[in-house]
Amino acid sequence: MITADACSEAVRAYDAQGIHRTGTRVDADSAEWLVQELAARGVEGVIEEHPFLRTDPSDCDVAIGAWKVAGYPLLDSVLPRPGTTIEGVVCGEPGQGRIAIVQTDGHGQTSTIDPLRSQPWAAIVAAVHGASGGLTLRNAWEFGQPHGPPVIQVPGEAWEALVRARDGGAAATIRCGASTTETSAANVIARVAGADAALAPIAVLTPRSGWWHCAGERGGGIAIWLEVARAVRALALQRSIDFVATTGHELGFWGIERYCERHPGAAAAAMCWVHLGANIGAKGTATVVRSATQGLLDALGAADGNLGESRVGPTCELRPKPAGGEAQVIAAHGAAYVSMVGAGFSLFHSSTDRWPVAIDAEAIARNARLVLQFIRRFEPAAS
């Protein structure tokens, strides 16, 4: 039985490791931890390392007169050398020595920042909507191809001060910059072998990196991934089940791209993929499952009915185009998939996303049991 206590403990341990940015010490230690957790569940995990050029930002802030706010650069903007000072005037028209301001959401692959990035600003300051009391960051979707002026992300609460500065043509000083470090970043993979090698496997995929501690954003997927691995190991199924945990989520899905390069054909060879996306079982969210294949959604709905639990089940959405996240990468490589996410998480991408306040452990456990029931529906019927 997959329990809320077991899921909560997995998220607690993951959260306690620190900030889960790709290619960092915490990221490497967390990969080792996943392998240890798999071993404790009777499953052998493997760490697959890939060369990685990490971007290391220097101290970053925006000062306008006596007012100052700490920020963090957008890592797919072009950043100067560490410790650079940019001075300019906050205004509404681009040009040399001019600084733009903009409000933006903390998620989504398009942004109100985008039109400004092709214009000749000295810098762009983006007030990112998110939970109060923290800093919410956008993913660096084009991490491998940085472009445009430096973009500095600051808390959404800074917006009123920025507007006053723009309306008054105030001078601003920005400190920012970055260096790079040649290192490695790793995915974790495992297989629970089934009795019938002729059956195509089902793959369970979770991202495992992010900007912060990511208890609600990534913790639910991590807990489900581990607990489903334990459960299928105990069940001794006919079909093999593959488990893939990828780094690089916040950097344009870097890790799943590396997985597909190292394992050509694996995405399409699976019977289907279960993508454990963002915010599953996060506090206050509703579970949504998306797929481009109606038959897989039907199977998911039937699995939900078989659970026989009173708790509200997921909403299923048929989407002809890939659902986003790592699902869009595996779909581009020919995979059939279902993608599970939690909708409506108020702490998404925020530094305030911490265990235990960010999670609903019962919801995580229910979704883990749903994933397990979904997998079991594809077992061959007993003769």
Side-chain angles (χ1 to χ4, degrees):
M1 181 68 171
I2 297 174
T3 68
D5 285 348
C7 291
S8 181
E9 174 55 25
V11 181
R12 184 205 64 77
Y14 175 76
D15 172 278
Q17 290 160 12
I19 293 175
H20 288 275
R21 292 175 190 164
T22 300
T24 61
R25 182 71 261 166
V26 170
D27 190 38
D29 290 346
S30 190
E32 295 282 358
W33 169 77
L34 275 181
V35 170
Q36 293 166 8
E37 289 296 306
L38 286 171
R41 292 161 172 80
V43 178
E44 181 180 1
V46 175
I47 292 175
E48 289 193 338
E49 292 191 347
H50 301 267
F52 178 67
L53 187 65
R54 189 180 68 223
T55 300
D56 298 317
S58 58
D59 290 344
C60 180
D61 53 50
V62 179
I64 302 169
W67 179 84
K68 181 184 286 189
V69 62
Y72 191 88
L74 188 61
L75 296 191
D76 61 3
S77 64
V78 177
L79 300 174
R81 58 181 178 79
T84 294
T85 296
I86 299 172
E87 295 183 342
V89 174
V90 183
C91 62
E93 294 296 329
Q96 185 175 2
R98 296 183 174 188
I99 296 170
I101 63 170
V102 66
Q103 285 182 300
T104 187
D105 289 329
H107 58 277
Q109 289 183 241
T110 60
S111 166
T112 52
I113 303 171
D114 296 344
L116 301 175
R117 299 179 74 179
S118 61
Q119 298 173 356
W121 297 99
I124 301 167
V125 180
V128 185
H129 298 301
S132 62
L135 177 59
T136 298
L137 297 178
R138 291 188 55 77
N139 288 343
W141 301 112
E142 298 177 270
F143 177 72
Q145 297 178 312
H147 62 283
V151 178
I152 309 306
Q153 301 169 96
V154 298
E157 295 96 321
W159 180 244
E160 289 186 4
L162 294 171
V163 169
R164 287 194 299 270
R166 180 192 62 194
D167 292 347
T173 300
I174 295 172
R175 287 195 308 150
C176 66
S179 59
T180 56
T181 301
E182 291 184 359
T183 183
S184 63
N187 298 327
V188 177
I189 65 171
R191 166 168 283 198
V192 177
D196 188 349
L199 295 173
I202 292 174
V204 182
L205 163 66
T206 185
R208 62 175 201 84
S209 69
W211 293 117
W212 305 108
H213 291 78
C214 302
E217 179 187 351
R218 299 269 73 100
I222 294 286
I224 292 169
W225 193 83
L226 288 170
E227 286 302 290
V228 170
R230 178 190 59 77
V232 299
R233 167 71 170 73
L235 287 171
L237 301 177
Q238 293 295 303
R239 188 183 301 275
S240 294
I241 311 298
D242 289 336
F243 293 86
V244 180
T246 58
T247 191
H249 171 82
E250 75 278 20
L251 305 177
F253 317 130
W254 184 91
I256 189 61
E257 293 282 10
R258 303 293 81 72
Y259 175 86
C260 290
E261 288 172 359
R262 185 166 292 188
H263 302 275
M271 195 224 82
C272 76
W273 287 69
V274 180
H275 169 232
L276 303 173
N279 312 328
I280 303 171
K283 185 76 73 176
T285 63
T287 302
V288 179
V289 179
R290 299 161 178 151
S291 180
T293 307
Q294 185 62 54
L296 292 178
L297 291 178
D298 292 343
L300 193 288
D304 184 56
N306 289 345
L307 282 180
E309 299 185 12
S310 58
R311 204 174 172 96
V312 175
T315 298
C316 291
E317 297 180 354
L318 181 66
R319 291 196 174 186
K321 293 183 178 180
E326 282 72 7
Q328 73 185 46
V329 178
I330 57 173
H333 286 267
Y337 68 90
V338 292
S339 179
M340 178 181 287
V341 299
F345 184 38
S346 63
L347 306 182
F348 193 26
H349 285 192
S350 171
S351 57
T352 62
D353 177 8
R354 299 298 307 274
W355 180 92
V357 296
I359 70 164
D360 178 343
E362 290 287 353
I364 296 172
R366 188 194 191 282
N367 282 311
R369 294 191 290 269
L370 174 57
V371 170
L372 179 62
Q373 189 66 34
F374 175 78
I375 289 170
R376 296 185 70 179
R377 286 196 65 80
F378 295 100
E379 280 292 279
S383 57

